[in-house]
Amino acid sequence: RQANASAGRRVSMGLDGTLEAALDAAAPAMRGLRFVLLTFGNAAFSELLRNFCAHARRAGAAHVVGAVDVGAFELLRESGSPCYKTPLALATGYSLDGANSHSSGSWKAFAAMRTGEVARVVATGLDVLHIDTDVVLLRDPAPFCMCTAAARAEFGDASRFPCSALRAADVAVSSDNMGPSRSVAGGAAYHGAGTFNSGLLLFRATAAGRRFAAQWHRNVASPERGSRFWGKTSDQQASCDLLRLHRSRCEETRLHAEVRRAGLQCYGA
């Protein structure tokens, strides 16, 4: 515990509110993998933020928190969690309305900021797992998402959940189907037409992954009038529509068959 506290103090001393400093602070936990967890929150959700960071540290997962207000930044910096001030934290008078309707002006500003920051981090060359703060991490997801040698020993092609199919994806999203066994048995049928959940969104720093992240941000922040994205109230709705827009391009590929066997769905970039 004393060693962890000392490490936290060293990290907090280098956190100046910039994204660059936060990524530098998270770099040691990446252990050479260009992969980071990215989440966002304000001081009103301080308990969730503390819980998320505590479990991420315990799991050894590289993570960065985008603070939506100065209070959240100060809280996280004091605990030594890699964090930075998002544009909304630097804006005068901004306050997030977290109502479930996701239709307020402040929520839309948050969605535009969040998607833009995801695209910004992906553009640095990092694979990014955008993750909600209420997720409790029991293991570091990086080895599986990057399909490292250690992960292949557990999740090889002959395993129930091979990591190779996910490694081939430029973008991956979770769904509201909480039964992975049923997904595998059904060839991911639900995922093709069910509800996606942007609480877990993986973006690769590939050309296609960067392009998708930029499109996601653009269709949330400034959707074209009359387009399928016009009038959407949340970034989750936009990501669902964008994924389905690309689906038909993947149906006939060999990758499509491979990922369906792994309980995933394939969408062309």
Side-chain angles (χ1 to χ4, degrees):
R1 289 182 180 175
Q2 186 175 2
N4 287 340
S6 298
R9 284 193 293 272
R10 287 195 298 272
V11 169
S12 65
M13 289 176 63
L15 294 171
D16 59 5
T18 64
L19 173 62
E20 292 74 18
L23 291 175
D24 285 346
M30 296 182 196
R31 296 182 295 277
L33 297 177
R34 301 286 293 169
F35 178 93
V36 69
L37 306 176
L38 182 62
T39 194
F40 301 89
N42 62 356
F45 291 91
S46 59
E47 293 304 315
L48 281 177
L49 289 171
R50 285 195 186 99
N51 191 60
F52 175 86
C53 292
H55 281 85
R57 282 195 299 269
R58 193 173 302 157
H63 62 287
V64 167
V65 180
V68 182
D69 54 30
V70 175
F73 173 74
E74 296 297 344
L75 170 79
L76 293 166
R77 181 172 66 170
E78 184 178 347
S79 69
S81 299
C83 60
Y84 73 103
K85 296 177 185 177
T86 65
L88 292 181
L90 300 173
T92 302
Y94 176 80
S95 178
L96 175 61
D97 171 12
N100 289 337
S101 64
H102 294 167
S103 60
S104 67
S106 70
W107 176 266
K108 291 178 180 178
F110 170 71
M113 178 279 295
R114 176 165 64 175
T115 55
E117 292 301 286
V118 169
R120 181 182 171 199
V121 178
V122 175
T124 68
L126 291 171
D127 287 3
V128 173
L129 181 60
H130 168 262
I131 185 169
D132 280 353
T133 54
D134 58 1
V135 173
V136 175
L137 294 165
L138 301 180
R139 297 178 67 177
D140 180 7
F144 182 83
C145 290
M146 303 300 281
C147 203
T148 63
R152 289 195 298 274
E154 183 178 356
F155 301 104
D157 291 341
S159 69
R160 192 179 185 191
F161 302 110
C163 63
S164 57
L166 182 61
R167 187 66 186 94
D170 295 299
V171 178
V173 64
S174 61
S175 85
D176 282 347
N177 179 12
M178 304 305 290
S181 297
R182 293 176 61 187
S183 294
V184 172
Y190 174 87
H191 296 73
T195 302
F196 297 137
N197 190 324
S198 58
L200 286 171
L201 255 173
L202 174 65
F203 298 89
R204 303 285 185 199
T206 59
R210 296 182 194 206
R211 184 166 60 248
F212 189 100
Q215 288 176 339
W216 185 37
H217 172 56
R218 184 169 61 252
N219 287 315
V220 170
S222 55
E224 183 180 347
R225 183 178 292 273
S227 71
R228 65 192 298 163
F229 303 100
W230 180 256
K232 299 296 182 185
T233 62
S234 74
D235 46 344
Q236 178 166 296
Q237 290 177 334
S239 65
C240 288
D241 273 13
L242 189 57
L243 282 160
R244 291 199 170 93
L245 183 63
H246 291 293
R247 180 182 181 189
S248 62
R249 304 176 192 175
C250 190
E251 292 286 354
E252 302 304 321
T253 67
R254 189 173 126 191
L255 176 61
H256 181 63
E258 292 177 358
V259 298
R260 287 198 64 171
R261 280 195 296 272
L264 306 171
Q265 269 284 358
C266 179
Y267 297 80

